[in-house]
Amino acid sequence: MRPEPSEFAFHWGLNPETVFLNHGSFGATPLAIINEQRRWQDWMELEPVRFFEELLPPALVESRQALATMLSCDPDDLALVENATSGVNTILRSFDFKPGDEILVPDHAYQACRNAIDFVASRNDVNVVTVNIPFPIEGPQVVIDLLMESVTERTVLAMIDSVTSPTGLRMPFEELTQALEEKGVAVLLDAAHGIGMLPLSLADLGASFVTTNAHKWLCAPKGSAVLYVRKDKQEHIHPLTISHGMTFPLGETTRFRHEFDWTGTRDPTAWCVLPFVIEHLSSMYEGGWPAIMERNRSMVLEGRALLCDKLGVSTPCPDSMIATIATLILPNSGAAGIPLHDPDPLHSRLLERGIQIPVWSWPSPEGRYIRISAHLHNSREQYEYLAEVLIDELEKE
Ligand SMILES: Cc1ncc(COP(=O)(O)O)c(C=O)c1O
């Protein structure tokens, strides 16, 4: 018998046959939000020219305003992008590197973003300095010490995560940003796991660049993310797609705004619904977003504790380094050493038994990991079921 999801799961159209413990990879969007997006798509197709010329510009202003309220920043410092990968690429492809410059990046970084760093580094004769961070880890200070001692006078940019993908670590990004920016190192915060997962206050944070996905923890439709660029950096940053904005008369606005507001014809409805998304989730749960984030964090900590207990493994990081995803190191590493891009057979076996959850072997820090997630649709019973099935499957290895 599959365990029941939570009493909030009816808001989503998730397959009832699947125990969905991987909100972290691609998010999941409630039905009402999908319907709202379809309404916007209907308007777009009813009168395409009026939609793009009259309806869309004020809609995007409202979307940036709604995001800015949640992110505590000036809406004019935000650009709408499709995803965090694009946000990271936008900065890297615009950044003015000189030969011999260094980019700092921890080994826990998301591989797609690491690829983008390697690409620009090889084109610009820039050195990539990989900082190895242990996992299991004692606490956030370890991260701060290791990163800060790797800064040299040639370090111009550091890409750090808000929460790491393979290891699920909530990084001490506030302290790191402050320390790095103070040393003249521009911080690119990869907050793919950010808005809707943990409180972010971008004006106070002081990072040069932040990108965060709305389609993960905010539950917006896919293709919806935001890029923050601090005012003093805006004149150097251009969208990946150069379009009309580069020459359009400025009027009341900035070149940054013009360039990012139009990057060619596309379906922008995932951005148009953002004010609705923020309001809809907020109304689902008493206390709104702050309470949702608290609830999801408590749920994942509870799930992690019960799994560690039943599997007889220890928690690889303190609770303070957990947001709403948590990675465990699998006790039986029978299949460790599987190349990064190959599927782990354990993932498929868990899926056969109805559980959707990531299992992967990571090269550095080396280990075979399983990562749980918690959003409003998840229940404690789902983690109990996972523990039971996982023990059974690991015994077969
Ligand atoms: C840390 C991190 N960065 C970037 C991404 C990429 O997100 P997207 O595919 O939405 O661009 C992810 C996705 O899981 C991630 O975990």
Side-chain angles (χ1 to χ4, degrees):
M1 265 285 281
R2 300 271 192 272
E4 290 292 322
S6 79
E7 72 266 37
F8 304 101
F10 75 92
H11 289 289
W12 278 262
L14 289 163
N15 183 356
E17 294 304 310
T18 304
V19 177
F20 190 62
L21 291 173
N22 188 9
H23 192 101
S25 281
F26 306 110
T29 304
L31 297 164
I33 295 173
I34 301 294
N35 286 337
E36 180 68 7
Q37 185 183 23
R38 289 199 179 123
R39 268 176 6 108
W40 281 88
Q41 284 168 333
D42 288 346
W43 290 331
M44 181 167 67
E45 296 310 332
L46 185 72
E47 287 235 38
V49 176
R50 279 192 66 196
F51 177 84
F52 281 102
E53 291 186 355
E54 291 174 34
L55 222 68
L56 183 61
L60 296 186
V61 169
E62 271 186 45
S63 293
R64 284 190 294 102
Q65 180 58 61
L67 289 166
T69 303
M70 228 175 143
L71 294 170
S72 301
C73 66
D74 182 343
D76 282 345
D77 299 343
L78 298 179
L80 295 160
V81 292
E82 284 191 5
N83 47 52
T85 310
S86 301
V88 164
N89 272 274
T90 302
I91 301 306
L92 291 169
R93 304 289 285 274
S94 277
F95 201 94
D96 191 14
F97 293 107
K98 312 243 174 336
D101 283 349
E102 288 177 1
I103 306 176
L104 212 57
V105 59
D107 55 347
H108 298 225
Y110 189 68
Q111 188 61 42
C113 298
R114 173 60 200 247
N115 290 347
I117 289 183
D118 291 343
F119 176 76
V120 295
S122 70
R123 284 198 150 187
N124 294 284
D125 212 3
V126 162
N127 298 320
V128 183
V129 176
T130 306
V131 182
N132 293 326
I133 294 175
F135 189 69
I137 186 164
E138 254 170 51
Q141 195 58 43
V142 177
V143 180
I144 298 172
D145 292 345
L146 286 168
L147 265 148
M148 293 315 293
E149 70 199 26
S150 308
V151 173
T152 73
E153 59 201 16
R154 291 181 299 281
T155 315
V156 292
L157 182 72
M159 190 184 79
I160 52 176
D161 298 304
S162 53
V163 176
T164 60
S165 170
T167 45
L169 291 177
R170 195 263 188 232
M171 298 286 259
F173 62 88
E174 294 93 340
E175 295 90 327
L176 277 172
T177 300
Q178 195 187 350
L180 287 162
E181 292 276 354
E182 258 173 34
K183 281 188 166 270
V185 178
V187 169
L188 165 53
L189 183 69
D190 177 358
H193 299 276
I195 191 168
M197 178 196 234
L198 38 78
L200 283 171
S201 182
L202 300 189
D204 294 342
L205 185 67
S208 294
F209 317 107
V210 181
T211 187
T212 185
N213 275 329
H215 54 222
K216 279 199 201 289
W217 298 94
L218 211 54
C219 301
K222 313 291 177 267
S224 174
V226 60
L227 174 66
Y228 163 91
V229 179
R230 211 175 58 204
K231 284 202 196 311
D232 58 300
K233 303 282 183 185
Q234 287 176 7
E235 70 172 292
H236 308 290
I237 302 297
H238 306 280
L240 288 172
T241 307
I242 301 298
S243 182
H244 293 300
M246 196 153 249
T247 50
F248 208 76
L250 271 192
E252 305 261 287
T253 189
T254 58
R255 185 61 62 205
F256 175 76
R257 283 259 48 79
H258 263 335
E259 284 196 54
F260 278 93
D261 280 355
W262 185 259
T263 54
T265 310
R266 47 156 286 147
D267 179 352
T269 55
W271 297 329
C272 297
V273 296
L274 284 168
F276 179 88
V277 169
I278 294 171
E279 189 45 44
H280 181 62
L281 268 283
S282 188
S283 69
M284 263 184 212
Y285 196 77
E286 206 183 329
W289 275 104
I292 293 173
M293 295 191 247
E294 277 289 321
R295 183 263 182 204
N296 293 341
R297 179 162 183 268
S298 308
M299 177 68 74
V300 91
L301 283 172
E302 203 180 329
R304 159 172 118 131
L306 83 80
L307 272 160
C308 285
D309 186 40
K310 295 202 171 166
L311 291 171
V313 297
S314 43
T315 50
C317 71
D319 286 2
S320 65
M321 294 189 85
I322 293 294
T324 63
I325 53 177
T327 293
L328 300 185
I329 302 171
L330 287 172
N332 177 349
S333 291
I338 296 172
L340 182 61
H341 297 289
D342 286 2
D344 190 309
L346 179 61
H347 171 262
S348 317
R349 297 206 309 277
L350 291 172
L351 194 55
E352 273 163 29
R353 296 184 66 177
I355 304 173
Q356 182 62 264
I357 190 159
V359 182
W360 49 58
S361 294
W362 192 253
S364 169
E366 196 181 359
R368 189 187 190 201
Y369 307 142
I370 189 163
R371 190 186 75 184
I372 56 171
S373 287
H375 212 312
L376 280 184
H377 47 81
N378 291 120
S379 67
R380 182 190 160 90
E381 291 71 29
Q382 294 181 316
Y383 306 98
E384 280 168 354
Y385 179 68
L386 168 65
E388 190 186 305
V389 174
L390 189 55
I391 289 169
D392 193 39
E393 289 299 331
L394 285 172
E395 268 169 13
K396 293 182 192 161
E397 290 195 335

